């Protein structure tokens, strides 16, 4: 009923920038929190950035000051602007959203398929 599709990943040099996008579609009544996670090989998936429906944001210490999460509620889209990228930022980045589906009461978590970000010279 609901799908999240990420885009914008790719190869970038250290110090470079990328902007990731995640668009939600389907039987959406409302979207609450949206977030970005990442997972590197052999590592646990970690929360990178979080955005509440009220506009509050939180970031992992490792990306604070370099990454910015934003959202366009009219487009059901969340973005992650990544600046001053480091090799350790290399990972698959996943979009996550808390969404109320049309015709239901509870709020459910949905995940995107992931997009690869590689930071290398």
């Amino acid at each position: 009923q609901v799908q999240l599709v990420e885009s914008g990943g790719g190869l970038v040099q250290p110090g470079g920038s990328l902007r990731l996008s995640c668009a939600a579609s389907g039987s959406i009544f409302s979207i609450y929190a949206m977030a970005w996670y990442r997972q590197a090989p052999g590592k646990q998936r970690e929360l990178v950035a979080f955005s509440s429906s009220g506009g509050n944001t939180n970031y992992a210490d490792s990306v604070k000051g370099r990454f910015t999460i934003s959202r366009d509620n009219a487009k059901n889209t969340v973005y992650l602007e990544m600046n001053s990228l480091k090799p350790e930022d290399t990972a698959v980045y996943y979009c996550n959203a808390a969404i109320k589906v049309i015709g239901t009461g509870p709020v459910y978590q949905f995940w995107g398929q992931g997009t690869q970000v590689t930071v290398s010279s």
Side-chain angles (χ1 to χ4, degrees), residues 48-103:
V48 176
F50 172 91
S51 177
S52 75
S53 59
N56 294 321
T57 59
N58 290 291
Y59 299 91
D61 288 341
S62 60
V63 308
K64 195 171 186 178
R66 299 188 297 119
F67 291 11
T68 302
I69 187 170
S70 61
R71 59 197 292 176
D72 186 336
N73 291 326
K75 297 180 179 179
N76 292 332
T77 299
V78 63
Y79 306 92
L80 185 67
E81 178 73 30
M82 304 184 293
N83 299 311
S84 301
L85 283 162
K86 305 174 181 179
E88 52 262 44
D89 294 319
T90 296
V92 177
Y93 284 71
Y94 296 91
C95 178
N96 173 268
I99 297 174
K100 183 176 292 185
V101 178
I102 293 174

Side-chain angles (χ1 to χ4, degrees), residues 4-8 21-23 36 93-96 111-115:
L4 304 180
V5 179
E6 300 107 331
S7 62
S21 299
C22 173
W36 288 95
Y93 284 71
Y94 296 91
C95 178
N96 173 268
W111 290 91
Q113 83 287 350
T115 184

